[in-house]
Amino acid sequence: SPYLHSLLAWLATPLTDRRIDESGLPPLIFSACNWYNDWKAPTIMELATRYPDSQVIVVGGLGRLASQEAHEAFGEGYDMGNRLTALGLSPHRLTAIGCRECAAVDGSNCGCVGTTGFNMDRLLDMVRAEAEQGERRLGGGRRLLVVEESLLVRRVFATMLGRLRGEAAAEFGAVEMVAPARSVEEVLARHGDEKGEQLLWAEVDRLLRYSSTEFEGGLHLYNTDDFLRSPEDTAYFEALLKNVTVHRRSEL
């Protein structure tokens, strides 16, 4: 429907948060890996080609929807790393984090829920560890380019801003979302019409629930102004909330 096209366009808006003057350093390229790895890998490679001095960090465990390739690689981060090296990215520029880095995993049974916030925390762990050693290869006020699939962009952006509060705020001079161009038809073809529509509306539900503890399942991972960046955003979101109640919610 035309409404779904408008919804996807809003969810996929390439948001930017500029914090401090840019450092002049090459940006850091990051992706929290998931079941859209195959769709995101070409976009990561485009950025890596555009910024040949940039490091690339991809992180992901094994969520409920992890692909067969991710299971075989023992982590969505490793799966993405395999895809990027196959596309020509030098291993010297790539850091892939998956289940082997997790002390809670014995090598045979992964209990990771594969959450976006967990993946971001592993990135920030690396940045903090480097800063403690007096290095600035990853942070240091540079731009952070976050590659995410279209329908997830707004929530992932807000989640990153929520993580970048306090001491971590100064590590990146800007956070910029980069998403592959995607149509509603492609999303529905991948998931099926009913499931694809549920996924789009589920993002509206998640934006609401994850920004507050007032709702069932609310986590307050970020503030509403982290994903509502303008008066137009706020008005559109209020209209969405009137419609989301008539759609089945997905607990993906």
Side-chain angles (χ1 to χ4, degrees):
S1 71
Y3 208 99
L4 288 182
H5 288 81
S6 173
L7 173 57
L8 179 59
W10 184 77
L11 291 171
T13 303
L15 300 173
T16 297
D17 182 73
R18 296 193 181 278
R19 298 166 168 269
I20 58 178
D21 292 338
E22 293 190 28
S23 65
L25 297 169
L28 177 65
I29 302 168
F30 169 74
S31 184
C33 301
N34 50 36
W35 60 343
Y36 293 114
N37 278 1
D38 58 328
W39 275 4
K40 295 195 291 184
T43 299
I44 296 174
M45 277 303 302
E46 290 176 9
L47 291 175
T49 301
R50 186 185 310 167
Y51 302 105
D53 296 323
S54 289
Q55 292 293 306
V56 178
I57 299 179
V58 293
V59 185
L62 288 172
R64 289 177 296 168
L65 303 174
S67 67
Q68 179 180 345
E69 292 87 351
H71 279 282
E72 292 174 352
F74 205 41
E76 290 173 319
Y78 304 140
D79 169 52
M80 180 65 89
N82 292 340
R83 294 176 186 275
L84 294 173
T85 53
L87 291 172
L89 183 64
S90 168
H92 299 292
R93 299 178 58 194
L94 174 66
T95 300
I97 298 175
C99 297
R100 287 193 292 273
E101 282 79 16
C102 181
V105 177
D106 63 9
S108 61
N109 181 30
C110 178
C112 174
V113 296
T115 65
T116 299
F118 177 90
N119 297 337
M120 291 176 178
D121 289 342
R122 304 293 75 74
L123 165 68
L124 296 178
D125 286 346
M126 292 183 61
V127 173
R128 292 188 190 100
E130 184 190 65
E132 290 174 358
Q133 297 172 2
E135 300 181 7
R136 283 293 185 268
R137 189 174 58 96
L138 303 177
R142 73 186 68 230
R143 286 186 297 156
L144 176 64
L145 305 180
V146 182
V147 179
E148 190 48 82
E149 183 48 43
S150 54
L151 69 160
L152 305 179
V153 164
R154 197 171 286 265
R155 178 167 56 85
V156 169
F157 177 77
T159 303
M160 180 60 80
L161 295 193
R163 287 304 201 267
L164 290 177
R165 308 231 190 267
E167 295 180 2
E171 293 297 344
F172 299 109
V175 177
E176 299 180 17
M177 297 301 299
V178 183
R182 194 74 59 208
S183 68
V184 168
E185 289 75 17
E186 288 176 290
V187 173
L188 299 184
R190 178 157 183 151
H191 299 289
D193 289 353
E194 182 177 358
K195 189 64 173 180
E197 184 171 351
Q198 286 177 355
L199 285 169
L200 290 169
W201 285 108
E203 283 302 302
V204 180
D205 182 47
R206 284 175 161 185
L207 284 169
L208 180 65
R209 288 192 291 115
Y210 293 1
S211 62
S212 175
T213 57
E214 297 179 3
F215 305 94
E216 182 180 356
L219 300 176
H220 200 187
L221 300 179
Y222 43 77
N223 300 324
T224 54
D225 58 4
D226 289 330
F227 66 89
L228 299 179
R229 309 296 288 179
S230 67
E232 292 77 16
D233 272 350
T234 301
Y236 187 79
F237 188 64
E238 290 174 352
L240 287 175
L241 294 181
K242 295 177 183 178
N243 286 278
V244 73
T245 55
V246 302
H247 292 266
R248 286 187 297 170
R249 292 181 174 184
S250 170
E251 292 298 329
L252 293 175

